[in-house]
Amino acid sequence: MATQVQTFTSATGLISLLNEDERELQFYGLSQLNAVADRFWAEISDSISRIEILYEDEGFQHRQLAALVASKIYFHLGEFDDALNFALGAGELFDLSDTSSYVQTVVNHAIDKYIELRSKSDDSDAAVDPRLENIVERMFERCFETKDYAQVIGISLETRRLDLLDRALVSGDTRSLLAYVQHDCVDLVSSIRLQSQVQELLFKVHMQFDSPDYEAICLCLSKLNNPKKTAEILAMLVGGQDDDKVLSAYQIAFDLDANATQEFTKAVVAELKADNNTESAAKPTPMDKIKSILRGDETLKLHLEFLFRNNKTDMNTLNRTCKLLDSRMSLAHNAMTITNAFMHAGTSVDNFLRDNLEWLSRASSWSKFSATAALGVIHQGQIKHGFGLLRPYLPEDNTSVSPFSEGGAFFALGLIHACHGSEKVINYLKDVLVSYQNDDVEILQHGACLGLGAAGMGSGSEDTAHALMNVLYTDSAVSGEAAALGLGLVMMGTSHESTLKDMLLYAKETTHEKIIRSLAVGVGLLMFGRKQEADSMVESLLNEDDPLLRLGAVHTITMAYCGTGDNGAIRKLLHLAVSDVKDDVRRAAVTGLGFILLRSPEQVPRMVELLSESFNPHVRVGAALALGIACSGTGSKAAIAILEPMLKDSVDFVVEGASIALAFILIQQNETYEPKVGEVRKRFSTIIETKNAEGVTKFGAAISQGILNAGGRNVTIGLCTNDGQLNAPACAGMLLFTQFWYWFPLAHFLALSFRPTALIAVNKDLNKPNIEAVCTSRKALYTYPPNIEQPVAQAPVKIATAVLSTTAKTRRTTKKSTTDEPLSAKKPDESESPVKEKPEEDSMDVDDPNASADQKAQKKGRKTAPETFTVGNITRLLPFQEKHMKWPAGSRYVPVKQGKISGVLVVKDTAPEEPEDLIVSVLPSSPTEDEDNSEDVAIQPPEPFEYPFDSDHA
């Protein structure tokens, strides 16, 4: 039969058989046409109507064959919907095992259609064509036969078939498939309801094991917002006498503190009952340690220890920039304030401020506010000493003396307690909102609202939201702006219906542009991670005539789909980026692409490459920021190639945005790992040194230097946690940082995006043992970049004396007569010296032909063999270094959580009977806040430092 088919030169004869009355001839014609359809589809397409008639004839026994032929013809015509409809009519004749492009295309189209129908309604039993479902079911069965469980999981999530997801999880390697779904799939589900159903399914499957993975279970429970069950698991682990389970509980608590919201961790602490152990009160019980970890006390203390110990801030860069920038200008003073804050973020080192009192005293008005708020960035995490550090700036007895520095102190207090606001701090800042009635109350309220937002971020406290709403209703542009931002931070990710309704209503009523713009950001924060729940609100905001409300739609899309890579959200932002008439909306839309694609940064350069060359400078700067946000810390060469030409842009704020984006991308990189680092650092220095450079350009270069040296060069931009989960506070901090375009003090929020890159290991007593891990790569790739050298003053150069032409002629004649003398007449020291050989290290390395093969191999191995070095506890461990790290075999300490080598690790001591070598803390350990009884501590808390500000209101 195959030989006969190949001899056909035309399908005309076979087509004519379809017009015969005999059913057998019609069947034979269809059979032959099915075999040659791929060759003669153009000729057969003229008679497609006849084939359709045969399919619709109920009396024709071979209707399915007619449907299969028609499907193939429509496939070649590009009519995939019709091809799918007839393929459904072909029934079992449509062979899913066929690997032809026809079958693969129709199957893909069938799956897409099935997903579309299943996604139209939240009802999982939505009406679907049984024939279509049959094809999809057959495809699933084929995947189960081939054990392609990953494909089943992906399609079952998209089609909302949790029954198939359950079957796939229990059919394969369940533990690895559970980890795959949890880390790579769940966050990409666009429906919050479906996401919760998947988490419940994962929890059920996890609990079927004899030895469940409680770390993964508690992660599921945090996503389900079930603090009661989480507390029960922690209590069960701690309640027994098994030390391994207690260590596992500690690790779970550290992971919850890093990945869960403040609202959830506080609820878990509230559910945990007090330990009834009657041992000495001086020794904390395991339950006490769990609560301390969940409150963030232990993590903050470890991060402070790490940042203080390893501070490698380039003070030469900071001092040089300070001398070059004119501090009399508010822009330059703000630039230095922010730069210093970033460089010393979390280190508690404020030496630069103490050494530059004259520069500091030039701050005025809002520069005072920003300079005082910078203390919150420098001392971030000092929750035990927050009030003590800021006491010189906080007002006494509800009497305001210097409102700008006092307002900045309120903001600094919130930054110190960011995401870990205690009840005392929250109540103190809420009292500020109602305790002052002087003329400058809006300045104090501005700082207190921002501080409340930072300290209460993600807490979902309705009392705090009500206090902020009262400030918003005063209709003051200054305090209302901060109140709107604070509302968004406190209620972040809750999509609280009444709060959202009130914010949108007030945005349409007020006439203050600053308040409307802040409400646009606040609404976006409120809908963080809500995905499809935000779609209806986005559509209504996009139809508004007010561009600031459309800006709210952009921020809502950005936050609702942050880190999901959702195609629909990307399409909306790209449409706004090229079609909206307002530059602010277009800039924010392009910037939002970086947030949505932050988990797939390799896609961003290709997507924004054309936008980076737009005629509109606002679109160009948005493209730069999108690259910086998505590719932060990656050293992406494609992103650098796009940003480098933008440093020479004719528009100052485009250069500013490109500088900041490059700093994001190259943070914690050195010249060995990425050679462009040196060039970029020099470029920033050159911009600052250029006298006629625009102020905005210098501002961008200065804070870019601060970002490159952030946290003493020990932090990166961490929009995701070490476990790969979306870091909500970091994303909020980055969004608010982008608003420095309108208000410089908001740049301090970038400190929330800084994530210490450290190896921190603790034992059962939460002490730090002296341990080492092994890195199987070159040490030079991960070292700190060298500090910029201070310029050395050169001695004045003597100007050459003018020489007359006659004098030069006489000298040439004398020289010629000297060279004509015989060699023997020359003195020994004037004889020709032998040619000096080049040093061995500069000579070309040539293989000796007589050398043995072993010698050649040894010589080559000396160049290519990977170096190995050790990394100690409480030291820097870069994100791109982790894949080369391993735990040494035979080590005394073993991590409780396998496969993790960075962040806070709880380790098990395999030799508890031997004495431990512990790392002594350099931080004070006061049991109560701001105690002064720590003379025996090696390094005392930083002494309160008072800015040399005058008390006037100017």
Side-chain angles (χ1 to χ4, degrees), residues 631-636 664-674 677 715-716 722 755 757 775-785 869 876-885 901-902:
C631 304
S632 56
T634 63
S636 169
F664 284 162
I665 294 170
L666 296 175
I667 189 172
Q668 288 198 317
Q669 314 269 335
N670 62 21
E671 291 190 58
T672 306
Y673 189 86
E674 175 49 63
V677 172
V715 299
T716 188
N722 286 321
R755 189 187 76 212
T757 52
C775 181
T776 58
S777 183
R778 293 171 54 201
K779 187 174 183 179
L781 295 172
Y782 315 113
T783 57
Y784 292 95
F869 65 97
R876 189 174 80 153
L877 179 64
L878 302 181
F880 48 86
Q881 184 182 356
E882 291 182 31
K883 60 184 177 182
H884 302 292
M885 297 297 299
I901 203 69
S902 64

Side-chain angles (χ1 to χ4, degrees), residues 640-674:
I640 295 173
I642 295 174
L643 290 170
E644 272 193 309
M646 299 177 73
L647 289 176
K648 301 177 182 178
D649 199 279
S650 59
V651 181
D652 53 359
F653 60 78
V654 175
V655 179
E656 175 193 51
S659 300
I660 294 172
L662 280 170
F664 284 162
I665 294 170
L666 296 175
I667 189 172
Q668 288 198 317
Q669 314 269 335
N670 62 21
E671 291 190 58
T672 306
Y673 189 86
E674 175 49 63

Side-chain angles (χ1 to χ4, degrees), residues 147-214:
K147 298 183 179 181
D148 192 358
Y149 300 119
Q151 186 170 355
V152 175
I153 289 172
I155 299 177
S156 64
L157 286 173
E158 290 195 79
T159 58
R160 308 186 180 205
R161 291 290 302 275
L162 298 186
D163 56 330
L164 293 172
L165 176 61
D166 190 5
R167 179 183 170 190
L169 289 174
V170 299
S171 298
D173 184 358
T174 304
R175 290 190 184 273
S176 62
L177 289 175
L178 283 169
Y180 168 69
V181 174
Q182 182 67 68
H183 296 291
D184 298 330
C185 302
V186 177
D187 289 337
L188 302 181
V189 176
S190 57
S191 169
I192 295 296
R193 178 183 173 186
L194 177 61
Q195 200 172 37
S196 298
Q197 292 173 344
V198 173
Q199 293 288 1
E200 290 174 356
L201 175 62
L202 296 180
F203 173 72
K204 184 191 76 172
V205 176
H206 271 298
M207 295 303 293
Q208 294 175 359
F209 289 102
D210 294 333
S211 56
D213 184 356
Y214 289 110

Side-chain angles (χ1 to χ4, degrees), residues 829-869:
D829 57 353
E830 294 177 353
S831 61
E832 294 183 1
S833 59
V835 179
K836 294 183 180 180
E837 297 182 358
K838 293 183 178 180
E840 185 177 354
E841 60 269 19
D842 293 338
S843 60
M844 181 180 293
D845 202 0
V846 182
D847 287 340
D848 183 0
N850 299 322
S852 64
D854 292 340
Q855 291 174 335
K856 292 181 180 181
Q858 184 179 4
K859 190 172 184 180
K860 293 180 179 179
R862 188 168 61 249
K863 293 182 179 181
T864 60
E867 299 178 6
T868 300
F869 65 97

Side-chain angles (χ1 to χ4, degrees), residues 513 517 546-552 554-555 576-577 580-592 616-619 621-622 653 738-739 741-742:
E513 182 178 322
R517 184 182 294 112
D546 188 346
L548 294 178
L549 293 177
R550 296 201 302 275
L551 183 63
V554 172
H555 291 318
L576 289 168
D580 201 277
V581 296
K582 186 69 174 178
D583 287 335
D584 287 354
V585 177
R586 300 180 70 176
R587 183 182 64 252
V590 182
T591 304
N616 189 320
H618 293 268
V619 174
V621 72
F653 60 78
T738 61
Q739 304 305 304
W741 180 277
Y742 309 104

